[in-house]
Amino acid sequence: RNDSYSALREQLRMLTETQLPLVHKATSSLANAMRQPTVRGRWGELQLKRVVELAGMLEHCDFVEQPSGESEDARQRPDAIVTLPGGAQVIIDAKVPFTAYLDAHEAADDDARAAHLSRHAVLVRAHAAALGRKAYWDTFEPSPDFVIMFLPGEMLYTAALQQDPGLIEEEWGISPEGRK
């Protein structure tokens, strides 16, 4: 029994001395990479593709990734368009407001964490408003007058809603008087 406990103790010591620093380094590297907009964007696009594939949709049949279109103001490229029966299209754009969310998890105290989460909610709201201003429906017809903002993790939307509960009603276009 003593030999077994000694062997277990030695394995735990080796784990904490060698493997734990490697895991910490890899985690830090991933967190730093997720702070880069291009990495975050690609991650969001990949998550969106996986979700539509898990829903049983086939690329080029049920959905198209990153189609391009020209509007009066600029070239537009949503992350995906889902084709519905009858030819209608639903436009989806992935957004990954992750920096403030990461900052909140790295914050040293509750006040700093709350400030970062509040900033995260502002960023989610800003992304939603920016998508609405793109008016994809004018470029990709026929499509309804809305765009779906895909957040690649439920925690991103949940954190924003906890800080800004009105976000869901306003971004869905619902006001106390009814639909906007």
Side-chain angles (χ1 to χ4, degrees):
R1 185 179 284 173
N2 284 337
D3 289 343
S4 294
Y5 284 131
S6 293
L8 180 59
R9 185 176 297 122
E10 181 62 23
Q11 286 180 348
L12 288 173
R13 185 187 64 73
M14 285 178 37
L15 179 67
T16 57
E17 289 178 2
T18 59
Q19 298 301 315
L20 202 56
L22 292 174
V23 169
H24 184 267
K25 183 179 176 184
T27 303
S28 293
S29 177
L30 178 60
N32 289 334
M34 289 300 285
R35 290 187 180 278
Q36 298 174 19
T38 54
V39 173
R40 281 193 319 264
R42 185 65 191 126
W43 177 66
E45 293 162 5
L46 185 61
Q47 293 300 316
L48 173 58
K49 183 176 181 177
R50 297 294 175 250
V51 166
V52 294
E53 288 175 341
L54 285 171
M57 295 184 205
L58 301 173
E59 190 172 3
H60 305 293
C61 182
D62 301 312
F63 73 96
V64 178
E65 275 192 288
Q66 299 186 347
S68 293
E70 297 289 330
S71 71
E72 293 176 10
D73 301 329
R75 185 171 178 226
Q76 293 189 322
R77 194 181 83 194
D79 291 312
I81 293 182
V82 175
T83 305
L84 301 175
Q89 306 174 101
V90 175
I91 300 160
I92 305 172
D93 210 329
K95 295 297 174 194
V96 188
F98 211 55
T99 304
Y101 183 81
L102 283 176
D103 291 342
H105 285 282
E106 294 172 355
D109 60 53
D110 289 340
D111 290 339
R113 185 173 297 107
H116 291 304
L117 287 173
S118 180
R119 185 168 52 101
H120 171 69
V122 168
L123 291 172
V124 170
R125 181 181 289 280
H127 280 302
L131 282 178
R133 286 191 301 274
K134 285 187 176 185
Y136 282 129
W137 47 88
D138 291 337
T139 305
F140 300 97
E141 293 185 29
S143 64
D145 291 356
F146 65 83
V147 60
I148 295 174
M149 181 173 78
F150 174 81
L151 295 174
E154 183 180 341
M155 74 285 188
L156 295 172
Y157 195 54
T158 300
L161 281 177
Q162 287 173 342
Q163 296 299 309
D164 185 1
L167 183 64
I168 195 166
E169 287 88 8
E170 292 173 33
E171 297 313 324
W172 277 93
I174 300 169
S175 67
E177 300 81 36
R179 189 121 176 104
K180 287 183 181 177

